[in-house]
């Protein structure tokens, strides 16, 4: 890893674990649907939701980068199926997004972000629909780039270059940190950034070309910077 001047950070599975968050959000939104829309069957709601998500992904390949809109459209399908006003999908997506942001941030994250943000500009860069402005950690970032708002997702070069633009830093002077081997690590390097693989659970690297750096938490990055300075 070379010297860098700014950092872009992935969110889901880098700063928190996303699977339990989505699982809990889906369970709670299904309970809400059954409770508030009496014609929806409690025994089939789980299947209804899975089928609706699958259908919108197949029907709208042009917006696969926009997870929020895909989820809203899935709610719309369910409401239509049970003869409810599909515009209620707008209220449902807001409730879902509230639930989706009930994340449990890894314990190393906030102390590390405090240290890193005192030395570098930080930008959040995510394919998901997490919004750092809904979380306490937003004060450590100067901006965020989400695939849903920007229009393309990682590993597209354009979304990495947008992060560099917001950081006002050349790509070669930006370090991107993320958990996904192809979307984060390979994608960042192909866009001209430096990269570090966030490997919290000792997974095996899937490609022949090894990552420039491997981290097991954000403290590893803080320690690396301190060693370089000393």
């Amino acid at each position: 890893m070379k010297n860098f001047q700014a950092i872009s950070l992935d969110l889901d599975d880098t700063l928190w674990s996303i699977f339990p968050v989505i699982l809990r959000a889906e369970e709670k939104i299904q309970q809400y649907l059954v409770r508030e829309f009496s014609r929806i069957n409690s025994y089939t709601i789980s299947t209804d939701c899975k089928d609706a998500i699958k259908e919108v992904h197949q029907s709208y390949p042009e917006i696969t980068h926009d997870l929020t809109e895909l989820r809203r459209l899935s709610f719309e399908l369910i409401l239509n199926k049970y003869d409810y006003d599909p515009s209620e999908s707008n209220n449902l997506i807001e409730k879902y997004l509230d639930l989706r942001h009930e994340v449990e941030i890894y314990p190393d994250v906030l102390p590390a972000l405090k240290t890193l943000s005192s030395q570098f500009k930080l930008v959040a860069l995510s394919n998901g629909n997490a919004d750092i402005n809904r979380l306490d950690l937003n004060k450590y970032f100067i901006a965020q780039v989400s695939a849903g708002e920007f229009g393309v997702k990682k590993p597209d070069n354009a979304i990495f270059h947008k992060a560099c633009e917001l950081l006002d830093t050349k790509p070669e002077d930006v370090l991107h940190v993320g958990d996904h081997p192809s979307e984060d690590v390979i994608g960042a390097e192909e866009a001209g950034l430096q990269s570090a693989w966030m490997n919290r659970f000792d997974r095996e690297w899937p490609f022949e070309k090894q990552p420039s750096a491997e981290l097991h938490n954000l403290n590893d990055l803080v320690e690396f910077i301190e060693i370089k300075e000393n």
Side-chain angles (χ1 to χ4, degrees):
M1 191 189 304
K2 304 175 185 176
N3 290 332
F4 51 86
Q5 298 176 12
I7 303 171
S8 65
L9 283 162
D10 176 55
L11 299 176
D12 294 332
D13 287 330
T14 296
L15 304 189
W16 55 76
S17 178
I18 190 56
F19 177 76
V21 175
I22 298 301
L23 184 63
R24 184 171 60 247
E26 289 179 342
E27 289 176 349
K28 288 185 177 181
I29 203 68
Q30 288 173 20
Q31 292 168 3
Y32 180 84
L33 281 162
V34 170
R35 185 171 65 250
E36 298 298 322
F37 301 91
S38 60
R39 291 193 294 276
I40 294 180
N41 191 324
S42 62
Y43 294 102
T44 62
I45 183 59
S46 178
T47 301
D48 287 336
C49 288
K50 290 177 183 177
D51 289 347
I53 284 289
K54 182 178 180 180
E55 182 174 341
V56 297
H57 274 272
Q58 293 174 341
S59 300
Y60 300 94
E62 71 278 8
I63 58 168
T64 55
H65 60 276
D66 193 342
L67 299 183
T68 297
E69 180 60 8
L70 289 171
R71 182 71 66 168
R72 188 197 67 77
L73 287 168
S74 76
F75 292 143
E76 197 173 85
L77 282 178
I78 295 168
L79 292 166
N80 275 322
K81 178 178 180 177
Y82 290 95
D83 296 321
Y84 287 106
D85 181 359
S87 69
E88 285 292 326
S89 62
N90 295 308
N91 293 326
L92 288 170
I93 193 60
E94 287 304 314
K95 292 183 181 297
Y96 176 82
L97 288 174
D98 286 342
L99 295 168
R100 185 256 186 271
H101 284 85
E102 293 178 358
V103 300
E104 295 182 16
I105 297 170
Y106 291 124
D108 58 280
V109 169
L110 291 179
L113 287 179
K114 182 177 181 180
T115 299
L116 293 171
S117 64
S118 69
Q119 302 177 59
F120 304 94
K121 290 182 289 186
L122 308 182
V123 67
L125 178 57
S126 178
N127 279 356
N129 50 8
D131 180 357
I132 58 171
N133 293 315
R134 292 176 178 253
L135 304 169
D136 290 340
L137 54 72
N138 68 323
K139 60 188 173 184
Y140 301 116
F141 293 85
I142 66 164
Q144 66 180 336
V145 186
S146 67
E149 293 182 354
F150 185 63
V152 299
K153 60 183 180 179
K154 298 176 292 185
D156 194 296
N157 286 357
I159 195 167
F160 287 104
H161 292 162
K162 180 61 177 179
C164 296
E165 177 186 327
L166 293 172
L167 290 165
D168 192 25
T169 306
K170 295 178 181 178
E172 60 265 30
D173 294 325
V174 175
L175 174 69
H176 178 71
V177 179
D179 71 288
H180 199 286
S182 57
E183 292 177 359
D184 287 306
V185 180
I186 303 299
E189 292 183 358
E190 289 183 349
L193 288 73
Q194 299 182 57
S195 68
W197 183 35
M198 179 59 77
N199 184 18
R200 289 185 176 273
F201 303 105
D202 294 320
R203 293 177 295 161
E204 185 176 346
W205 178 254
F207 301 116
E208 182 177 350
K209 182 182 178 182
Q210 295 297 308
S212 300
E214 181 176 334
L215 311 174
H216 295 285
N217 53 60
L218 276 185
N219 288 331
D220 287 350
L221 181 56
V222 172
E223 290 174 7
F224 170 81
I225 293 167
E226 290 174 347
I227 291 171
K228 289 281 285 185
E229 289 180 343
N230 297 330

